[in-house]
Amino acid sequence: MLRRFHSLAGLTAALFLLITATTGALLALDPALQRANALVPARGAVSVADVAEKVLLAYPGTEQIERLPSGAVVVYFTQDGQTAADLINPLTGTRLATYQQSAVFAWLKDLHRAFLWDDKGRAGAGIVALLLSVLCVSGVFLLASRAGGWRQLFAPMRSASNGAISPRLHAELARAAALGLLLSALTGSVMSALRFELLPEAAELEADFPQKVAGTAAAPVGTLPALQQTDLVDLHQLIFPSRTDPQDLYALSTHQGSGYVDQATGQWLSYADYGNAAQLQTFIMELHTGETYWWLGLLFGLAALTVPALVITGFQIWWQRRRAMPHLQGNSAVGQADTIMLVGSESNSTWGFANALCEALKHAGCLVHLAPMDQLANHYVKAERLLILTSTYGDGDAPASASQFLQKLQKLPPTLSLPFAVLAFGDRQFCSFCAFADHVTEALQQRQWPQLLATDYVDRQSAATFEHWGVALGNVLGRPLMLHYTPVLPACHGLMLVERQNYGEAVQAPTCVLRFQSAPPGSTLPVFSAGDLVGILPPGNAAPRFYSLASASTDGVLEICVRQQDNGLCSGFLYNLKFGETAAGFIQKNARFKPAAGKSPILLIGAGTGIAPLVGFIRANTARRPIYLYWGGRLATSDFLYQNELNSYLADQRLSQLHVAFSRGAEPAYVQDKLLQDADQIRTLINGNAQIMLCGGRRMATDVATSLNTILAPIALDVATLKKSGRYLEDTY
Amino acid sequence: MKKLFITAEFMLGLCLPNVIQAAEVTITTTLHSYQGDGAYLAIYLTDANGKYNKTLWVAGGKAKYYKHLQDWARGSGLKSTEYDGSTGASVTSGEQLTFKVNIEDALIDAGYLIRVDSAVEDQRDQRVDAELPLTRRGAGTSVAGRGYVKTISYTL
């Protein structure tokens, strides 16, 4: 809801925000430039009387002296029947330059506050300022929700799992600029509201015009006590009396108040403070323009510079989400359906799975009603089962289309009860993996609805898990389900097999390292680096299988490590691929699984084919940062993947230490056993700011995490803490 | 009845000589071309000593900015009764403002002056931007201003 509101406000204001922010950023330079050119004596150095006396010598026709917020001093005077204005040196009273407002900045200002369109434009600019305030506030709430709570607001951010950069860039920029933008927008809104009298404007309190003056001969301006007592720093303006009128007065205004000074006695005849309300209004205006606080103005200007990028990335995010919106076709009415499918989705990717399941169910003869989770109804006449497919947002929160589901569930009549199944979508990299789906399952269990099958978890849109779940569901329903999930895939490249090494046949774990070149010959490989994924499409099948890349495109080959699975469609195809034959594949960036920049040590942990990206990282370690590899296989003589290559990296110091464990052989051990043996070293590495990167099967990952928690307990750390700070990265399957 | 008639006739006789004779004066003010928003103008009469007499016209929509028309503000005390019915929009750069006003004959050729105070947002306030004596002979003569006002003239 909030997200929709944020998008709508942003889209409405987008074009105007671009203008307002760009001009605002440029205008922020004005006070700083003015300040740089101004000669500003310190407090106590010069009084208003000093300046007035010197100015009058240089400019006999002086009418008014004004100190600009930048500190520059301007004298307005008459010469030959025309008025003019000069910037002067406040120490000598002499001319520095003609005072002229920059035509460029004046034009920019008109564009900024009125879109060059008078009062109507000003009203528009006011509305834009208000929209920007609303965008800032709603945006900060969204940021907190994205981060998984207000406490995590300043934690390092993660990239989107699909590799799209716009969401992260939008969030990072917004987080950096939010405060500056909010202050700019709020002060701008207040200024506009005051101008259009939507807020009551507090008038500056003014001194009464004195009825009686001394009327005797005017004293030299330099001798007037009221002017001598006023520091130049406090001056706003001094208006000289008319030369011909002995009844006239000096009108003196400072930053605190204003009043009248007798031209004969030099005494205040009346004085009034502007009042707190008027001072506050002035402060708001000065905050907005940066006139007085030029450095703050520059900071606001920097914040404003992010707006064009925010507008563009915001638009991209909106567009991507919109494009992924579900198109529901052939949906049965609520009252007719025997199967109710509810979908909880944030970025709409879950809808693709929902549609696939819906099609399969229809094919199996079910009447399916598919709807967002928020459309949970109070009664279902013919429903026999409820299927829920949901993702999780942030730290276990409901995704956008399920924000009201749990409340609605509480209010359902107790008579309603449906057998249910939940399928969770998430990303194991996040601490609260699929937590919302668990909340939903618990809530349904509490209502004592019968559960058709245990909640399953689809990690990073794994089509394999999804199809596996479909088979289990089909068994429960007594109707075989054939799920065909086809994600929208990027364009594929031809990959020709040029090299292979086989391992593991003796231990019933046939595994191979495959190297591909771009096909047809002469074409170039797409850009990738170690740790990214390649999606391979087995012939005649639209569901890709993903493999971690062991090489970078700069190596000239695409290298993966494949273990032939029993009945594995894709692994079988790859394993049996002959030299010169091609496979179709595409690159999926995996920005999260990359070594942190810098020289700090890296602890690589893997098992089986999980070695692939780890070898890639070691191969790319030309800077010779300390890298420690712990890896587990089955039998040293059969499936020691990359044995020769790893030894050569030890020799040339790209790899600092290599620890291998084999589950069969003389001393059977798992990789976590090696870690436990080296607990002291691990603790030292972690204390030295080391980063852990783990790649392998899910079971191995769980076992390693348990062991690491044991190892790290004495230094008051655990895997969850390291994960939060981006020092524990996993790529598991 | 007869007494009442006489009283009425007497009063009429008293009043007649006092019916104010006024001339219709057309005042035309032309502004310079300058960079900035529309100018606020106060056009008013002062006596020979420069003391405020009456407001002829105020150009500018928002009364809260009238204080920038400094001498006029001081003289009129910014009382709305002084300018009610004699206001209009601000005058933009290079534009001309023309208005008609009835001025008592007694004020013409009596040392009174037509004066303009002016102000533009974010720029300086001009006290006595232009000033010219209200005389039958001076009608039709243009006088140059010192600030935003390029020329001012009137016809009787």
Side-chain angles (χ1 to χ4, degrees), chain A residues 63 76 78 81-83 101 109 113 122 194-195 201 206 209 239-240 248 260, chain B residues 32 35 37 62 64-65 67 70 74 121-127 145-147:
Chain A
E63 291 179 345
Y76 297 100
T78 308
Q82 285 295 308
T83 56
Q101 281 177 325
K109 191 172 181 179
R113 69 180 180 188
R122 284 199 189 219
L194 286 171
R195 182 182 169 88
E201 183 171 12
E206 284 172 46
F209 190 69
I239 303 174
F240 281 60
D248 206 0
Y260 297 97
Chain B
H32 282 291
Q35 181 87 42
D37 283 356
K62 289 196 193 309
K64 65 180 177 181
Y65 298 130
K67 64 179 180 184
Q70 290 177 6
R74 207 179 278 177
E121 187 177 3
D122 292 339
Q123 297 182 40
R124 72 164 296 192
D125 305 340
Q126 290 276 359
R127 308 160 75 190
R146 305 185 310 141

mmCIF file of all heavy atoms in Angstrom, chain A residues 63 76 78 81-83 101 109 113 122 194-195 201 206 209 239-240 248 260, chain B residues 32 35 37 62 64-65 67 70 74 121-127 145-147:
data_model
loop_
_atom_site.group_PDB
_atom_site.id
_atom_site.type_symbol
_atom_site.label_atom_id
_atom_site.label_comp_id
_atom_site.label_asym_id
_atom_site.label_seq_id
_atom_site.Cartn_x
_atom_site.Cartn_y
_atom_site.Cartn_z
ATOM 1 N N GLU A 63 21.824 56.108 -0.046
ATOM 2 C CA GLU A 63 20.455 56.049 0.466
ATOM 3 C C GLU A 63 20.255 54.890 1.428
ATOM 4 O O GLU A 63 19.422 54.951 2.322
ATOM 5 C CB GLU A 63 19.469 55.882 -0.697
ATOM 6 C CG GLU A 63 19.387 57.124 -1.549
ATOM 7 C CD GLU A 63 18.434 56.968 -2.718
ATOM 8 O OE1 GLU A 63 18.058 55.827 -3.023
ATOM 9 O OE2 GLU A 63 18.088 57.991 -3.308
ATOM 10 N N TYR A 76 23.324 51.320 -1.726
ATOM 11 C CA TYR A 76 22.402 51.847 -2.737
ATOM 12 C C TYR A 76 22.515 53.361 -2.694
ATOM 13 O O TYR A 76 22.460 53.954 -1.622
ATOM 14 C CB TYR A 76 20.964 51.433 -2.430
ATOM 15 C CG TYR A 76 20.740 49.943 -2.470
ATOM 16 C CD1 TYR A 76 20.708 49.196 -1.294
ATOM 17 C CD2 TYR A 76 20.549 49.280 -3.672
ATOM 18 C CE1 TYR A 76 20.500 47.834 -1.320
ATOM 19 C CE2 TYR A 76 20.336 47.906 -3.713
ATOM 20 C CZ TYR A 76 20.320 47.190 -2.532
ATOM 21 O OH TYR A 76 20.120 45.834 -2.566
ATOM 22 N N THR A 78 22.215 57.375 -5.109
ATOM 23 C CA THR A 78 21.735 58.099 -6.282
ATOM 24 C C THR A 78 22.890 58.870 -6.880
ATOM 25 O O THR A 78 23.676 59.487 -6.153
ATOM 26 C CB THR A 78 20.632 59.095 -5.904
ATOM 27 O OG1 THR A 78 19.637 58.396 -5.172
ATOM 28 C CG2 THR A 78 20.011 59.718 -7.138
ATOM 29 N N GLY A 81 20.717 61.551 -10.740
ATOM 30 C CA GLY A 81 19.285 61.319 -10.854
ATOM 31 C C GLY A 81 18.883 59.869 -11.049
ATOM 32 O O GLY A 81 17.720 59.566 -11.252
ATOM 33 N N GLN A 82 19.861 58.950 -10.997
ATOM 34 C CA GLN A 82 19.533 57.533 -11.150
ATOM 35 C C GLN A 82 20.047 56.772 -9.936
ATOM 36 O O GLN A 82 21.089 57.103 -9.380
ATOM 37 C CB GLN A 82 20.195 56.966 -12.413
ATOM 38 C CG GLN A 82 19.517 57.383 -13.713
ATOM 39 C CD GLN A 82 18.109 56.818 -13.831
ATOM 40 O OE1 GLN A 82 17.888 55.624 -13.687
ATOM 41 N NE2 GLN A 82 17.132 57.685 -14.091
ATOM 42 N N THR A 83 19.303 55.757 -9.564
ATOM 43 C CA THR A 83 19.783 54.936 -8.455
ATOM 44 C C THR A 83 20.692 53.836 -8.980
ATOM 45 O O THR A 83 20.523 53.361 -10.100
ATOM 46 C CB THR A 83 18.621 54.292 -7.685
ATOM 47 O OG1 THR A 83 17.843 53.553 -8.606
ATOM 48 C CG2 THR A 83 17.773 55.323 -7.011
ATOM 49 N N GLN A 101 22.493 41.295 -9.472
ATOM 50 C CA GLN A 101 22.156 39.899 -9.263
ATOM 51 C C GLN A 101 22.424 39.146 -10.556
ATOM 52 O O GLN A 101 22.117 39.641 -11.631
ATOM 53 C CB GLN A 101 20.701 39.777 -8.854
ATOM 54 C CG GLN A 101 20.538 40.125 -7.381
ATOM 55 C CD GLN A 101 19.098 40.087 -6.940
ATOM 56 O OE1 GLN A 101 18.205 40.434 -7.709
ATOM 57 N NE2 GLN A 101 18.892 39.693 -5.712
ATOM 58 N N LYS A 109 16.418 30.571 -10.405
ATOM 59 C CA LYS A 109 15.549 30.679 -9.239
ATOM 60 C C LYS A 109 14.087 30.723 -9.677
ATOM 61 O O LYS A 109 13.231 30.093 -9.068
ATOM 62 C CB LYS A 109 15.915 31.952 -8.475
ATOM 63 C CG LYS A 109 15.288 32.059 -7.108
ATOM 64 C CD LYS A 109 15.891 33.252 -6.406
ATOM 65 C CE LYS A 109 15.344 33.417 -5.010
ATOM 66 N NZ LYS A 109 15.958 34.567 -4.343
ATOM 67 N N ARG A 113 11.410 27.919 -8.497
ATOM 68 C CA ARG A 113 10.278 28.130 -7.595
ATOM 69 C C ARG A 113 8.982 28.417 -8.324
ATOM 70 O O ARG A 113 7.939 28.497 -7.702
ATOM 71 C CB ARG A 113 10.592 29.258 -6.612
ATOM 72 C CG ARG A 113 10.660 30.613 -7.251
ATOM 73 C CD ARG A 113 10.984 31.636 -6.198
ATOM 74 N NE ARG A 113 11.060 32.955 -6.795
ATOM 75 C CZ ARG A 113 11.472 34.025 -6.151
ATOM 76 N NH1 ARG A 113 11.848 33.930 -4.900
ATOM 77 N NH2 ARG A 113 11.503 35.184 -6.733
ATOM 78 N N ARG A 122 4.320 28.948 -9.119
ATOM 79 C CA ARG A 122 4.723 28.864 -7.708
ATOM 80 C C ARG A 122 3.855 27.892 -6.945
ATOM 81 O O ARG A 122 4.336 27.144 -6.103
ATOM 82 C CB ARG A 122 4.600 30.242 -7.068
ATOM 83 C CG ARG A 122 5.706 31.151 -7.475
ATOM 84 C CD ARG A 122 5.787 32.274 -6.487
ATOM 85 N NE ARG A 122 6.702 33.274 -6.970
ATOM 86 C CZ ARG A 122 7.539 33.928 -6.188
ATOM 87 N NH1 ARG A 122 7.547 33.705 -4.906
ATOM 88 N NH2 ARG A 122 8.355 34.811 -6.693
ATOM 89 N N LEU A 194 3.201 29.583 3.269
ATOM 90 C CA LEU A 194 3.152 30.935 3.828
ATOM 91 C C LEU A 194 2.794 31.938 2.738
ATOM 92 O O LEU A 194 1.974 32.835 2.936
ATOM 93 C CB LEU A 194 4.510 31.307 4.438
ATOM 94 C CG LEU A 194 4.857 30.628 5.765
ATOM 95 C CD1 LEU A 194 6.306 30.926 6.134
ATOM 96 C CD2 LEU A 194 3.926 31.110 6.865
ATOM 97 N N ARG A 195 3.408 31.742 1.565
ATOM 98 C CA ARG A 195 3.152 32.693 0.490
ATOM 99 C C ARG A 195 1.681 32.682 0.084
ATOM 100 O O ARG A 195 1.090 33.718 -0.157
ATOM 101 C CB ARG A 195 4.015 32.363 -0.728
ATOM 102 C CG ARG A 195 3.785 33.368 -1.835
ATOM 103 C CD ARG A 195 4.565 33.073 -3.086
ATOM 104 N NE ARG A 195 4.081 33.923 -4.156
ATOM 105 C CZ ARG A 195 4.548 35.145 -4.410
ATOM 106 N NH1 ARG A 195 5.505 35.651 -3.675
ATOM 107 N NH2 ARG A 195 4.037 35.854 -5.396
ATOM 108 N N GLU A 201 0.898 33.595 8.345
ATOM 109 C CA GLU A 201 2.237 34.151 8.374
ATOM 110 C C GLU A 201 2.357 35.083 9.573
ATOM 111 O O GLU A 201 1.501 35.933 9.793
ATOM 112 C CB GLU A 201 2.500 34.940 7.092
ATOM 113 C CG GLU A 201 3.921 35.474 7.033
ATOM 114 C CD GLU A 201 4.275 36.061 5.679
ATOM 115 O OE1 GLU A 201 3.355 36.260 4.870
ATOM 116 O OE2 GLU A 201 5.466 36.317 5.471
ATOM 117 N N GLU A 206 6.901 45.377 14.209
ATOM 118 C CA GLU A 206 7.599 46.582 13.768
ATOM 119 C C GLU A 206 7.529 47.668 14.829
ATOM 120 O O GLU A 206 6.540 47.798 15.546
ATOM 121 C CB GLU A 206 6.972 47.089 12.464
ATOM 122 C CG GLU A 206 7.403 46.243 11.274
ATOM 123 C CD GLU A 206 6.637 46.605 10.021
ATOM 124 O OE1 GLU A 206 6.505 47.807 9.746
ATOM 125 O OE2 GLU A 206 6.168 45.676 9.358
ATOM 126 N N PHE A 209 6.376 54.264 14.258
ATOM 127 C CA PHE A 209 7.096 55.392 13.678
ATOM 128 C C PHE A 209 7.043 56.547 14.680
ATOM 129 O O PHE A 209 5.965 56.953 15.089
ATOM 130 C CB PHE A 209 6.456 55.796 12.348
ATOM 131 C CG PHE A 209 7.276 56.787 11.596
ATOM 132 C CD1 PHE A 209 8.489 56.402 11.043
ATOM 133 C CD2 PHE A 209 6.861 58.104 11.477
ATOM 134 C CE1 PHE A 209 9.263 57.307 10.364
ATOM 135 C CE2 PHE A 209 7.644 59.027 10.806
ATOM 136 C CZ PHE A 209 8.840 58.632 10.241
ATOM 137 N N ILE A 239 18.697 52.461 6.390
ATOM 138 C CA ILE A 239 18.167 53.391 5.398
ATOM 139 C C ILE A 239 18.420 54.805 5.900
ATOM 140 O O ILE A 239 18.044 55.157 7.031
ATOM 141 C CB ILE A 239 16.668 53.157 5.170
ATOM 142 C CG1 ILE A 239 16.433 51.703 4.730
ATOM 143 C CG2 ILE A 239 16.116 54.136 4.151
ATOM 144 C CD1 ILE A 239 14.981 51.319 4.610
ATOM 145 N N PHE A 240 19.083 55.584 5.045
ATOM 146 C CA PHE A 240 19.426 56.944 5.442
ATOM 147 C C PHE A 240 18.201 57.848 5.349
ATOM 148 O O PHE A 240 17.316 57.616 4.528
ATOM 149 C CB PHE A 240 20.527 57.485 4.520
ATOM 150 C CG PHE A 240 21.907 56.982 4.859
ATOM 151 C CD1 PHE A 240 22.180 55.627 4.836
ATOM 152 C CD2 PHE A 240 22.919 57.865 5.209
ATOM 153 C CE1 PHE A 240 23.452 55.149 5.154
ATOM 154 C CE2 PHE A 240 24.184 57.393 5.524
ATOM 155 C CZ PHE A 240 24.458 56.031 5.499
ATOM 156 N N ASP A 248 12.961 63.516 9.177
ATOM 157 C CA ASP A 248 13.164 62.114 8.793
ATOM 158 C C ASP A 248 14.169 61.436 9.723
ATOM 159 O O ASP A 248 14.871 62.088 10.491
ATOM 160 C CB ASP A 248 13.628 62.030 7.324
ATOM 161 C CG ASP A 248 13.246 60.687 6.688
ATOM 162 O OD1 ASP A 248 12.639 59.848 7.387
ATOM 163 O OD2 ASP A 248 13.553 60.492 5.503
ATOM 164 N N TYR A 260 13.895 52.966 14.671
ATOM 165 C CA TYR A 260 14.258 54.258 14.083
ATOM 166 C C TYR A 260 15.258 54.975 14.970
ATOM 167 O O TYR A 260 15.160 54.940 16.204
ATOM 168 C CB TYR A 260 13.007 55.102 13.880
ATOM 169 C CG TYR A 260 12.052 54.460 12.894
ATOM 170 C CD1 TYR A 260 10.976 53.695 13.343
ATOM 171 C CD2 TYR A 260 12.257 54.596 11.524
ATOM 172 C CE1 TYR A 260 10.116 53.092 12.443
ATOM 173 C CE2 TYR A 260 11.406 53.996 10.614
ATOM 174 C CZ TYR A 260 10.331 53.249 11.077
ATOM 175 O OH TYR A 260 9.486 52.648 10.177
ATOM 176 N N HIS B 32 10.844 50.391 -16.542
ATOM 177 C CA HIS B 32 12.011 49.929 -17.288
ATOM 178 C C HIS B 32 11.885 48.426 -17.537
ATOM 179 O O HIS B 32 11.120 47.741 -16.858
ATOM 180 C CB HIS B 32 13.288 50.143 -16.449
ATOM 181 C CG HIS B 32 13.771 51.546 -16.447
ATOM 182 N ND1 HIS B 32 14.304 52.150 -17.559
ATOM 183 C CD2 HIS B 32 13.829 52.465 -15.451
ATOM 184 C CE1 HIS B 32 14.665 53.385 -17.252
ATOM 185 N NE2 HIS B 32 14.381 53.610 -15.975
ATOM 186 N N GLN B 35 15.185 42.609 -14.795
ATOM 187 C CA GLN B 35 15.102 41.176 -14.533
ATOM 188 C C GLN B 35 14.371 40.991 -13.212
ATOM 189 O O GLN B 35 14.825 41.511 -12.199
ATOM 190 C CB GLN B 35 16.523 40.602 -14.444
ATOM 191 C CG GLN B 35 16.597 39.118 -14.206
ATOM 192 C CD GLN B 35 16.548 38.349 -15.514
ATOM 193 O OE1 GLN B 35 17.174 38.733 -16.471
ATOM 194 N NE2 GLN B 35 15.776 37.269 -15.536
ATOM 195 N N ASP B 37 10.442 39.739 -10.919
ATOM 196 C CA ASP B 37 8.985 39.630 -10.886
ATOM 197 C C ASP B 37 8.331 40.990 -11.038
ATOM 198 O O ASP B 37 9.007 42.021 -11.085
ATOM 199 C CB ASP B 37 8.552 38.992 -9.563
ATOM 200 C CG ASP B 37 8.784 37.491 -9.571
ATOM 201 O OD1 ASP B 37 9.204 36.988 -10.629
ATOM 202 O OD2 ASP B 37 8.546 36.855 -8.539
ATOM 203 N N LYS B 62 -0.750 41.435 -3.070
ATOM 204 C CA LYS B 62 -0.690 40.937 -1.701
ATOM 205 C C LYS B 62 -0.338 42.061 -0.722
ATOM 206 O O LYS B 62 0.777 42.589 -0.731
ATOM 207 C CB LYS B 62 0.350 39.823 -1.590
ATOM 208 C CG LYS B 62 -0.099 38.542 -2.296
ATOM 209 C CD LYS B 62 0.743 37.376 -1.855
ATOM 210 C CE LYS B 62 0.581 36.152 -2.732
ATOM 211 N NZ LYS B 62 -0.768 35.703 -2.981
ATOM 212 N N LYS B 64 0.427 41.975 2.192
ATOM 213 C CA LYS B 64 1.514 41.745 3.154
ATOM 214 C C LYS B 64 2.855 42.290 2.650
ATOM 215 O O LYS B 64 3.784 42.454 3.430
ATOM 216 C CB LYS B 64 1.625 40.267 3.506
ATOM 217 C CG LYS B 64 2.011 39.347 2.375
ATOM 218 C CD LYS B 64 2.084 37.916 2.884
ATOM 219 C CE LYS B 64 2.408 36.958 1.766
ATOM 220 N NZ LYS B 64 2.460 35.572 2.209
ATOM 221 N N TYR B 65 2.946 42.565 1.358
ATOM 222 C CA TYR B 65 4.202 43.129 0.840
ATOM 223 C C TYR B 65 4.179 44.662 0.772
ATOM 224 O O TYR B 65 5.168 45.270 0.380
ATOM 225 C CB TYR B 65 4.498 42.573 -0.560
ATOM 226 C CG TYR B 65 4.682 41.076 -0.585
ATOM 227 C CD1 TYR B 65 3.991 40.283 -1.497
ATOM 228 C CD2 TYR B 65 5.541 40.451 0.320
ATOM 229 C CE1 TYR B 65 4.147 38.901 -1.506
ATOM 230 C CE2 TYR B 65 5.693 39.069 0.317
ATOM 231 C CZ TYR B 65 4.997 38.304 -0.596
ATOM 232 O OH TYR B 65 5.155 36.941 -0.594
ATOM 233 N N LYS B 67 4.411 46.859 2.900
ATOM 234 C CA LYS B 67 5.338 47.598 3.776
ATOM 235 C C LYS B 67 6.640 47.959 3.059
ATOM 236 O O LYS B 67 7.388 48.826 3.504
ATOM 237 C CB LYS B 67 5.632 46.795 5.041
ATOM 238 C CG LYS B 67 6.350 45.508 4.792
ATOM 239 C CD LYS B 67 6.623 44.796 6.103
ATOM 240 C CE LYS B 67 7.356 43.496 5.830
ATOM 241 N NZ LYS B 67 7.572 42.727 7.044
ATOM 242 N N GLN B 70 7.960 52.009 1.120
ATOM 243 C CA GLN B 70 8.255 52.443 2.482
ATOM 244 C C GLN B 70 7.640 53.784 2.892
ATOM 245 O O GLN B 70 6.997 53.898 3.933
ATOM 246 C CB GLN B 70 9.774 52.498 2.672
ATOM 247 C CG GLN B 70 10.392 51.113 2.682
ATOM 248 C CD GLN B 70 11.901 51.148 2.804
ATOM 249 O OE1 GLN B 70 12.483 52.211 2.987
ATOM 250 N NE2 GLN B 70 12.534 50.016 2.698
ATOM 251 N N ARG B 74 4.560 54.402 5.472
ATOM 252 C CA ARG B 74 4.713 55.225 6.662
ATOM 253 C C ARG B 74 3.587 56.276 6.692
ATOM 254 O O ARG B 74 2.946 56.494 7.710
ATOM 255 C CB ARG B 74 6.069 55.914 6.616
ATOM 256 C CG ARG B 74 6.634 56.250 7.944
ATOM 257 C CD ARG B 74 7.986 56.896 7.765
ATOM 258 N NE ARG B 74 9.067 55.930 7.570
ATOM 259 C CZ ARG B 74 10.333 56.306 7.344
ATOM 260 N NH1 ARG B 74 10.644 57.602 7.236
ATOM 261 N NH2 ARG B 74 11.261 55.411 7.199
ATOM 262 N N GLU B 121 10.299 41.976 -5.620
ATOM 263 C CA GLU B 121 10.741 40.877 -4.748
ATOM 264 C C GLU B 121 12.222 40.563 -4.967
ATOM 265 O O GLU B 121 12.691 40.521 -6.103
ATOM 266 C CB GLU B 121 9.910 39.627 -5.037
ATOM 267 C CG GLU B 121 10.217 38.523 -4.042
ATOM 268 C CD GLU B 121 9.361 37.291 -4.248
ATOM 269 O OE1 GLU B 121 8.580 37.258 -5.183
ATOM 270 O OE2 GLU B 121 9.517 36.366 -3.432
ATOM 271 N N ASP B 122 12.910 40.341 -3.862
ATOM 272 C CA ASP B 122 14.337 40.000 -3.887
ATOM 273 C C ASP B 122 15.226 41.139 -4.387
ATOM 274 O O ASP B 122 16.422 40.942 -4.604
ATOM 275 C CB ASP B 122 14.618 38.764 -4.760
ATOM 276 C CG ASP B 122 14.047 37.501 -4.165
ATOM 277 O OD1 ASP B 122 13.808 37.503 -2.945
ATOM 278 O OD2 ASP B 122 13.843 36.531 -4.903
ATOM 279 N N GLN B 123 14.663 42.322 -4.635
ATOM 280 C CA GLN B 123 15.488 43.452 -5.063
ATOM 281 C C GLN B 123 15.178 44.645 -4.169
ATOM 282 O O GLN B 123 14.294 44.578 -3.322
ATOM 283 C CB GLN B 123 15.217 43.769 -6.536
ATOM 284 C CG GLN B 123 15.610 42.586 -7.429
ATOM 285 C CD GLN B 123 15.408 42.873 -8.892
ATOM 286 O OE1 GLN B 123 15.682 43.956 -9.375
ATOM 287 N NE2 GLN B 123 14.902 41.882 -9.606
ATOM 288 N N ARG B 124 15.871 45.732 -4.393
ATOM 289 C CA ARG B 124 15.758 46.823 -3.429
ATOM 290 C C ARG B 124 14.411 47.532 -3.511
ATOM 291 O O ARG B 124 13.768 47.569 -4.550
ATOM 292 C CB ARG B 124 16.889 47.825 -3.622
ATOM 293 C CG ARG B 124 16.752 48.650 -4.869
ATOM 294 C CD ARG B 124 17.666 49.861 -4.808
ATOM 295 N NE ARG B 124 17.296 50.770 -3.712
ATOM 296 C CZ ARG B 124 17.784 51.985 -3.594
ATOM 297 N NH1 ARG B 124 18.665 52.454 -4.457
ATOM 298 N NH2 ARG B 124 17.411 52.756 -2.588
ATOM 299 N N ASP B 125 14.013 48.095 -2.365
ATOM 300 C CA ASP B 125 12.831 48.946 -2.309
ATOM 301 C C ASP B 125 13.254 50.344 -2.735
ATOM 302 O O ASP B 125 14.312 50.835 -2.350
ATOM 303 C CB ASP B 125 12.280 49.006 -0.883
ATOM 304 C CG ASP B 125 11.990 47.616 -0.334
ATOM 305 O OD1 ASP B 125 11.856 46.687 -1.147
ATOM 306 O OD2 ASP B 125 11.928 47.489 0.896
ATOM 307 N N GLN B 126 12.419 51.016 -3.526
ATOM 308 C CA GLN B 126 12.731 52.375 -3.973
ATOM 309 C C GLN B 126 11.766 53.347 -3.315
ATOM 310 O O GLN B 126 10.582 53.370 -3.653
ATOM 311 C CB GLN B 126 12.586 52.478 -5.508
ATOM 312 C CG GLN B 126 13.640 51.729 -6.281
ATOM 313 C CD GLN B 126 14.930 52.521 -6.467
ATOM 314 O OE1 GLN B 126 15.028 53.668 -6.020
ATOM 315 N NE2 GLN B 126 15.904 51.944 -7.109
ATOM 316 N N ARG B 127 12.279 54.108 -2.391
ATOM 317 C CA ARG B 127 11.467 55.218 -1.877
ATOM 318 C C ARG B 127 11.565 56.311 -2.938
ATOM 319 O O ARG B 127 12.607 56.500 -3.539
ATOM 320 C CB ARG B 127 12.048 55.768 -0.578
ATOM 321 C CG ARG B 127 12.291 54.717 0.462
ATOM 322 C CD ARG B 127 13.293 55.217 1.484
ATOM 323 N NE ARG B 127 12.701 56.192 2.400
ATOM 324 C CZ ARG B 127 13.428 56.908 3.251
ATOM 325 N NH1 ARG B 127 14.740 56.798 3.274
ATOM 326 N NH2 ARG B 127 12.841 57.758 4.053
ATOM 327 N N GLY B 145 11.843 58.369 -13.826
ATOM 328 C CA GLY B 145 11.984 57.833 -12.483
ATOM 329 C C GLY B 145 13.446 57.512 -12.196
ATOM 330 O O GLY B 145 14.304 57.621 -13.075
ATOM 331 N N ARG B 146 13.692 57.096 -10.931
ATOM 332 C CA ARG B 146 15.081 56.819 -10.550
ATOM 333 C C ARG B 146 15.353 55.316 -10.504
ATOM 334 O O ARG B 146 16.497 54.886 -10.561
ATOM 335 C CB ARG B 146 15.373 57.391 -9.161
ATOM 336 C CG ARG B 146 15.065 58.870 -9.025
ATOM 337 C CD ARG B 146 15.494 59.362 -7.648
ATOM 338 N NE ARG B 146 14.977 58.498 -6.586
ATOM 339 C CZ ARG B 146 15.664 58.162 -5.488
ATOM 340 N NH1 ARG B 146 16.890 58.611 -5.319
ATOM 341 N NH2 ARG B 146 15.124 57.402 -4.571
ATOM 342 N N GLY B 147 14.293 54.554 -10.323
ATOM 343 C CA GLY B 147 14.504 53.114 -10.119
ATOM 344 C C GLY B 147 13.826 52.300 -11.197
ATOM 345 O O GLY B 147 14.247 52.300 -12.346
#
